[in-house]
């Protein structure tokens, strides 16, 4: 989760403890749901009737700081107690260690709104499932500095992975790495032939590392370019989702207005020299029922000032991997906020789609 | 044996050590300032380092640890650049290959003379002359056993990680010692929040527990952090406080040959106490 965002969102629910993160450009979202059975003891301390679940967020670094030096942790820590104390505004993490020693960390948290990207794996036309190892071994061929990778389906059920290069780049000066995986390397393949999607590799690598360590098969749900790609890991006590925005094709340019009240957005201008020449397709707020294709519109990304690049780089163990580069090209994922019909038209320079709505239950 | 040329004044201090590491390791454990005061008597050598008029560290090497140790006067005292002294003692390198060691002979003719070091390893001899300075007044913490309010002795193994991972965004390290829970607690109040490390009195790490009164004192974390080096070398540490909250940390260090030496740290409690949340 720290590969995605700087803040860790915690939400204890009846179905388990949900940990989530989103990146600054809101083009990547991940959630880990630990079922009650994962824990020795799980008491969500349900909300009083009529109130919503308690949610909070803490600084990722503060939380990770409690669990530093993993090898020694495994040797010396017997159990970990997590307590959420709303009245004291503290998240308590207590490690019970060898020799009767107890380490108690009282982390300050902030209450927050729900963080939930809108996505539906049922809507995806393609699905792949492979052991994490297969994908990890494939991804290792790409340099750590590579920002985006393109996953494609080819003839004979083969799946390709290729590094994504920008159109402006000189073909003679760029190195292209492409590899093909046979259908039998996958546990299941149900794909639309000829489809391909491009997404951010860095955020995906984070999940891959986790998947490999936990030995779980990874399922990739995807659809047309521009629609988010959803990576899932499933286990009896853990459900993981990673939702990444994907690059849309320049060709797909339809602009049918959405039916649920989202304002009609202006057509993309031909002059997109300022942008990196990418258009994105928005997610729909309503659940997908084979609705009309979403409009595409110019990409206007949040200014880099919103993200602290040094901070992100510091968190990176590899060091060479840049901060989330696609925030220049990838549109924000739609985050389930309810826009009022006929609401203010979004100015082309405003990219406020991931609104945090107030008073959401 | 290396004999310095016989000339001039007799030496007021002369000492030989087969393995200079016995000295250099100990000195590193108190090396948080450039300068140190050396004090030699017939019982041995004491090297003192101080900072901010709040903290004092002493490294003791008894005369018995030296192959030869002779002090001609009642006591010999001088101030010296500890960084330079350490560089000289480790001139043949700091890595300890088994079977190799640097032999040391130290000579001092008295006030105004430099400290002479003769270091030999594998037949190569290095001679160092380090200027000595006027000794400065040292703090006297006046920490005697009769005044001790609380005392515990812990196996260093249990504290090493804790000290290495102290939240340095906290200005203070708070130490609570009590006959009741939490018995012995180290607390920090940093940017992420507060953290407490509790050691119960019946822990296997606890070698001795004599707490008579609940005391909570805060010390500037930046002053205590250097004691981590002494902790890393030691096998046991004794932690004592007096009625004013002055802290004494005594580290028992076993060198490569199994000989025991001591390092101690004394620290004043932090006067600027701001109300920190627990």
């Amino acid at each position: 989760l720290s590969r995605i965002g700087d803040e860790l969102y915690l939400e204890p629910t009846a179905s388990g403890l949900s940990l989530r993160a989103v990146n600054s450009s809101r083009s990547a979202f991940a959630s880990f749901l630990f079922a009650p059975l994962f824990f020795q003891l799980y008491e969500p301390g349900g909300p009083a009737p009529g109130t919503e679940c308690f949610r909070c967020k803490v600084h990722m670094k503060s939380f990770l700081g409690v669990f530093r030096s993993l090898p020694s942790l495994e040797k010396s820590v017997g159990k970990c107690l997590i307590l959420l104390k709303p009245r004291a505004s503290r998240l308590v993490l207590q490690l019970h260690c060898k020799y009767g020693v107890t380490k108690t960390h009282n982390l300050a948290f902030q209450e927050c709104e729900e963080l939930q990207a809108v996505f539906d794996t049922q809507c995806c036309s393609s699905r792949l499932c492979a052991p994490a190892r297969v994908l990890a071994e494939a991804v290792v061929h790409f340099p750590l500095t590579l920002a985006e990778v393109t996953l494609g389906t080819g003839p004979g059920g083969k799946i390709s992975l290729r590094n994504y290069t920008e159109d402006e780049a000189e073909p003679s000066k760029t190195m292209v790495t492409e590899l093909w995986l046979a259908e039998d390397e996958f546990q299941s393949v149900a794909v639309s032939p000829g489809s391909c999607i491009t997404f951010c590799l860095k955020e995906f690598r984070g999940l891959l590392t986790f998947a490999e360590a936990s030995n779980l098969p990874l399922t990739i749900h995807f659809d047309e370019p521009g629609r988010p790609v959803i990576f899932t890991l499933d286990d009896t006590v853990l459900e993981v989702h990673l939702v990444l925005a994907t690059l849309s094709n320049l060709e797909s340019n339809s602009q049918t207005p959405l039916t649920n009240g989202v304002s009609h957005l202006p057509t993309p201008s031909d002059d997109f020299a300022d942008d990196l020449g990418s258009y994105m397709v928005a997610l729909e707020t309503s659940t997908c029922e084979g609705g009309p294709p979403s409009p595409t519109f110019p990409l206007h990304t949040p200014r880099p000032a919103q993200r602290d690049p040094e901070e992100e780089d510091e968190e990176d163990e590899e060091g060479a991997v840049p901060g989330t580069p696609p925030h220049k090209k990838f549109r924000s994922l739609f985050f389930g906020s309810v826009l009022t019909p006929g609401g203010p038209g979004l100015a082309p320079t405003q990219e406020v789609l991931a609104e945090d709505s107030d008073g959401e239950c | 044996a290396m004999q310095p040329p016989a000339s001039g004044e007799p030496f007021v201090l002369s000492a030989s050590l087969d393995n200079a590491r016995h000295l250099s390791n100990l000195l590193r454990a108190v090396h948080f300032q450039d300068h140190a005061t050396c004090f030699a008597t017939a019982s041995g050598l004491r090297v003192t380092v101080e900072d901010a008029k709040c903290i004092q560290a002493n490294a003791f090497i008894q005369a018995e640890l030296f192959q030869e140790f002779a002090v001609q006067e009642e006591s010999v005292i001088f101030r010296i650049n500890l960084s330079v002294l350490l560089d000289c003692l480790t001139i043949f390198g700091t890595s300890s290959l088994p079977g190799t060691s640097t032999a040391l002979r130290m000579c001092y003719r008295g006030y105004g003379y430099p400290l002479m070091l003769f270091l030999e390893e594998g037949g190569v001899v290095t001679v160092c002359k380090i200027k000595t300075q006027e000794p400065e007044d040292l703090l006297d913490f006046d920490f005697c056993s009769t005044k001790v309010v609380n005392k515990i002795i812990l196996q260093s193994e249990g504290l090493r990680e804790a000290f290495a991972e102290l939240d340095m965004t906290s200005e203070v390290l708070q130490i609570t010692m009590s006959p009741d829970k939490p018995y012995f607690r180290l607390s920090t109040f940093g940017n992420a929040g507060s953290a407490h490390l509790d050691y119960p009195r019946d822990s296997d790490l606890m070698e001795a527990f004599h707490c008579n009164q609940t005391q909570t004192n805060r010390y500037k974390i930046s002053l205590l952090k250097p004691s981590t080096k002494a902790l890393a070398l030691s096998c046991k540490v004794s932690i004592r406080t007096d009625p004013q909250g002055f802290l004494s940390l005594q580290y028992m260090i076993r060198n490569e040959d199994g000989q025991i030496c001591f390092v101690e740290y004394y620290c004043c409690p932090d006067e600027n106490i701001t109300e920190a949340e627990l």
Side-chain angles (χ1 to χ4, degrees):
Chain A
L1 285 171
S2 70
R3 303 288 181 97
I4 310 257
D6 292 334
E7 292 180 316
L8 179 67
Y9 289 74
L10 292 110
E11 186 171 333
T13 68
S15 40
L17 177 65
S18 175
L19 300 177
R20 302 173 194 190
V22 66
N23 69 353
S24 54
S25 56
R26 301 200 155 223
S27 58
F29 164 86
S31 85
F32 280 67
L33 178 65
F34 293 92
L37 281 177
F38 176 82
F39 303 94
Q40 263 186 327
L41 169 72
Y42 183 73
E43 278 169 17
T51 63
E52 51 183 63
C53 279
F54 189 80
R55 314 177 184 104
C56 67
K57 58 179 181 179
V58 295
H59 287 297
M60 191 69 74
K61 274 190 173 156
S62 308
F63 194 88
L64 288 177
V66 176
F67 300 99
R68 68 188 115 178
S69 81
L70 222 42
S72 81
L73 217 63
E74 280 167 18
K75 275 185 282 176
S76 60
V77 181
K79 64 178 180 188
C80 173
L81 174 67
I82 305 178
L83 293 171
L84 199 45
K85 293 185 171 179
R87 275 168 294 137
S89 290
R90 287 288 176 271
L91 173 67
V92 180
L93 292 162
Q94 195 173 66
L95 301 174
H96 292 247
C97 312
K98 259 194 320 198
Y99 306 121
V101 177
T102 314
K103 275 195 227 187
T104 308
H105 294 259
N106 301 299
L107 302 181
F109 65 67
Q110 268 182 290
E111 283 191 46
C112 61
E113 315 79 14
E114 184 179 18
L115 178 73
Q116 178 62 62
V118 176
F119 58 92
D120 190 349
T121 55
Q122 303 300 315
C123 280
C124 297
S125 55
S126 302
R127 197 188 70 238
L128 290 169
C129 183
R133 181 195 44 85
V134 166
L135 294 164
E137 284 171 0
V139 150
V140 86
H141 295 281
F142 297 101
L144 288 172
T145 49
L146 178 65
E148 292 110 17
V149 73
T150 303
L151 173 79
T153 60
K158 287 199 164 66
I159 307 297
S160 75
L161 276 174
R162 184 182 357 120
N163 62 319
Y164 176 78
T165 53
E166 293 172 17
D167 295 333
E168 290 104 65
E170 276 194 41
S172 57
K173 289 194 176 162
T174 44
M175 179 173 85
V176 176
T177 306
E178 184 169 23
L179 61 99
W180 294 87
L181 296 164
E183 202 173 339
D184 59 15
E185 302 226 46
F186 293 84
Q187 287 175 347
S188 79
V189 177
V191 298
S192 322
S195 52
C196 82
I197 50 157
T198 300
F199 55 87
C200 176
L201 186 55
K202 178 204 173 194
E203 282 144 356
F204 175 56
R205 278 189 202 268
L207 182 70
L208 204 49
T209 308
F210 179 86
E212 259 198 306
S214 56
N215 215 10
L216 292 170
L218 186 62
T219 307
I220 310 177
H221 306 262
F222 60 99
D223 202 79
E224 304 166 353
R227 300 194 67 86
V229 55
I230 305 150
F231 302 90
T232 61
L233 292 174
D234 263 300
D235 170 279
T236 45
V237 290
L238 175 62
E239 241 179 71
V240 185
H241 289 96
L242 171 66
V243 186
L244 297 181
T246 63
L247 220 46
S248 77
N249 283 334
L250 294 173
E251 279 68 68
S252 66
N253 235 353
S254 56
Q255 15 145 355
T256 325
L258 289 176
T259 52
N260 59 3
V262 176
S263 328
H264 177 75
L265 293 143
T267 58
S269 105
D270 280 336
D271 171 16
F272 48 84
D274 306 357
D275 302 337
L276 298 167
S278 313
Y279 291 136
M280 284 295 302
V281 173
L283 286 178
E284 288 159 3
T285 49
S286 52
T287 49
C288 180
E289 274 145 18
S294 321
T296 58
F297 40 88
L299 178 72
H300 296 278
T301 55
R303 302 311 305 145
Q306 282 186 28
R307 162 180 80 90
D308 182 358
E310 289 120 48
E311 215 68 331
E312 278 205 32
D313 283 347
E314 259 178 84
E315 286 180 47
D316 221 299
E317 278 127 0
E318 281 130 25
V321 183
T324 317
H327 89 275
K328 286 201 206 152
K329 304 188 197 186
F330 291 76
R331 255 285 309 286
S332 312
L333 297 171
F334 207 52
F335 274 77
S337 70
V338 179
L339 293 186
T340 53
L346 292 173
T349 50
Q350 292 254 24
E351 193 71 329
V352 188
L353 280 182
E355 284 179 60
D356 297 323
S357 52
D358 288 334
E360 217 177 42
C361 237
Chain B
M2 296 165 292
Q3 287 298 326
S7 66
E9 315 270 331
F11 295 116
V12 299
L13 165 67
S14 66
S16 297
L17 198 55
D18 282 348
N19 187 347
R21 264 198 305 273
H22 291 165
L23 182 59
S24 60
N25 280 345
L26 220 58
L27 294 182
R28 264 204 222 102
V30 300
H31 183 212
F32 55 88
Q33 287 285 286
D34 275 338
H35 285 87
T37 303
C38 293
F39 183 70
T41 65
S43 345
L45 182 65
R46 184 185 87 206
V47 177
T48 304
V49 178
E50 284 184 355
D51 189 13
K53 295 256 169 275
C54 284
I55 187 154
Q56 180 187 88
N58 297 293
F60 292 96
I61 311 101
Q62 301 97 289
E64 293 74 36
L65 259 61
F66 290 88
Q67 275 62 55
E68 187 207 315
F69 193 85
V71 177
Q72 299 310 324
E73 294 172 0
E74 184 94 21
S75 68
V76 172
I77 183 165
F78 55 84
R79 192 161 179 263
I80 197 164
N81 187 316
L82 184 57
S83 308
V84 172
L85 175 59
L86 271 169
D87 283 345
C88 294
L89 289 174
T90 56
I91 204 145
F92 288 101
T94 48
S95 60
S96 44
L97 294 167
T100 66
S101 61
T102 307
L104 165 73
R105 181 161 175 77
M106 218 163 44
C107 310
Y108 177 64
R109 286 188 206 273
Y111 182 80
Y113 285 89
L115 178 70
M116 303 269 289
L117 302 176
F118 299 84
L119 295 132
E120 183 264 331
E121 186 175 308
V124 178
V125 179
T126 308
V127 181
C128 309
K129 269 194 211 174
I130 309 174
K131 286 202 185 124
T132 58
Q133 289 137 35
E134 199 73 50
E136 289 183 347
D137 285 335
L138 294 175
L139 297 169
D140 180 8
F141 282 79
D142 190 26
F143 211 100
C144 58
S145 353
T146 48
K147 289 193 183 177
V148 170
V149 174
N150 289 320
K151 169 180 173 164
I152 67 168
I153 300 181
L154 270 177
Q155 284 176 23
S156 303
E157 181 200 339
L159 274 178
R160 268 196 270 270
E161 204 190 283
F163 262 78
E165 290 181 356
L166 277 181
D167 180 2
M168 296 307 290
T169 65
S170 169
E171 281 199 19
V172 298
L173 175 65
Q174 178 173 286
I175 301 182
T176 303
M177 294 171 84
S178 171
D180 311 306
K181 277 193 175 173
Y183 303 115
F184 178 60
R185 167 180 281 187
L186 299 174
S187 309
T188 51
F189 308 93
N191 294 341
S194 62
H196 304 289
L197 194 51
D198 293 347
Y199 294 82
R201 65 180 297 167
D202 58 358
S203 167
D204 284 344
L205 293 169
M206 201 65 85
E207 291 220 353
F209 188 88
H210 306 288
C211 290
N212 304 308
Q213 187 190 315
T214 301
Q215 273 187 316
T216 299
N217 289 294
R218 290 181 198 161
Y219 309 91
K220 280 209 167 33
I221 209 170
S222 53
L223 296 178
L224 279 182
K225 182 75 175 167
S227 69
T228 312
K229 280 191 249 184
L231 186 60
L233 285 174
S234 67
C235 46
K236 282 190 221 196
V237 55
S238 108
I239 302 169
R240 303 177 301 162
T241 48
D242 76 1
Q244 280 75 46
F246 282 71
L247 177 70
S248 149
L249 301 166
Q250 292 177 314
Y251 303 91
M252 182 168 111
I253 296 168
R254 222 177 268 278
N255 69 18
E256 287 164 29
D257 294 341
Q259 296 163 312
I260 307 275
C261 3
F262 288 91
V263 165
E264 66 189 7
Y265 272 72
Y266 291 113
C267 195
C268 307
D270 188 25
E271 298 292 303
N272 311 325
I273 293 177
T274 49
E275 276 316 298
E277 344 98 39
L278 287 168

